[in-house]
Amino acid sequence: MEQSIWIAILASGIIAGTPILLAALGEMLSELSGVLNLGVEGMMLAGAVCGFMVALNTGDPWWGLLAAVIAGGLMALIHAFLTITLRANQVVSGLALTIFGTGLSGYIGKSLIGLPLPVNFRPVSIPVLSDIPVLGPILFQHDVLVYLSYALVALLWFFLFRTKKGLELRSVGENPGAADLAGINVFRMRYVFVIAGGMLAGLAGAYLSLAYAPSWLENMTAGRGWIAVALVIFATWHPGKALLGSFLFGTIDVLGFHLQNFGIMIPSFFLKMLPYAITIAVLIVVTRETKTRRVAAPEALGIPYNREER
């Protein structure tokens, strides 16, 4: 293939990987605090439908984006209350929220199906950087939400590994009892970052309905929330690796369709299956590696904290 074709494929891969990256960063924050959130898919759907509905009625995609972030945060607040305050099973709570979010978004968005969105986030080239050969068209000719995802990766890396609060967050996920003895409010810390993670999931959903494919369709996330959960493991809870992993999954997602354009006939069902098959393969490889080296999974992940039992 010509260089220009590969540039187009990689640029499309970044666009397709952005919602996965945003959701994965949110899941990472939640898991680093010790709370497993399997409700990402439902939170993304809630964000997508609320963002689309508000943008459609206000004529401003930024209001839609705000609505999506709030919707994701409210869904995460439910998960936080169930798992942190009531100490409910985190897996069950997350799955329930995914089912709830799927049904609720389908109900709210029933009248929105097929409606065009007159306003959406459009590509904006960054001066100078967009003119860099090869890298410019791949990285710097996208919409503002893609650039926001770059910034969030850098900010999250700095927060986790260069600030005191980041160290406190990781300590809460590793050993909440010791963190509590050190004067860290474990419950508040978990609430804050579970909700923050849900807000990022809502943002990921808004990207789908306001930028990636400006419209509303039932179940338009198409399993991206589950890929985001797997990506956190693949990235070993590191924002930089999540960035690379999301763009890898995004490129795999779009590659099949480009292959069809070149006359390489591949069944459409296989193309739809490909990103999830790769996700399973990656999880198998990462799991095997855990036998030879320590993976940075928080020690207290999925375990409710009870001060009486510390």
Side-chain angles (χ1 to χ4, degrees), residues 136-150:
I138 294 174
L139 297 174
F140 303 113
Q141 294 183 8
H142 300 292
D143 59 80
V144 66
L145 297 185
V146 174
Y147 305 139
L148 177 61
S149 71
Y150 299 164

Side-chain angles (χ1 to χ4, degrees), residues 248-263:
L248 170 64
F249 285 121
T251 301
I252 292 169
D253 190 19
V254 302
L255 181 60
F257 298 100
H258 283 279
L259 292 177
Q260 282 192 332
N261 292 332
F262 298 127

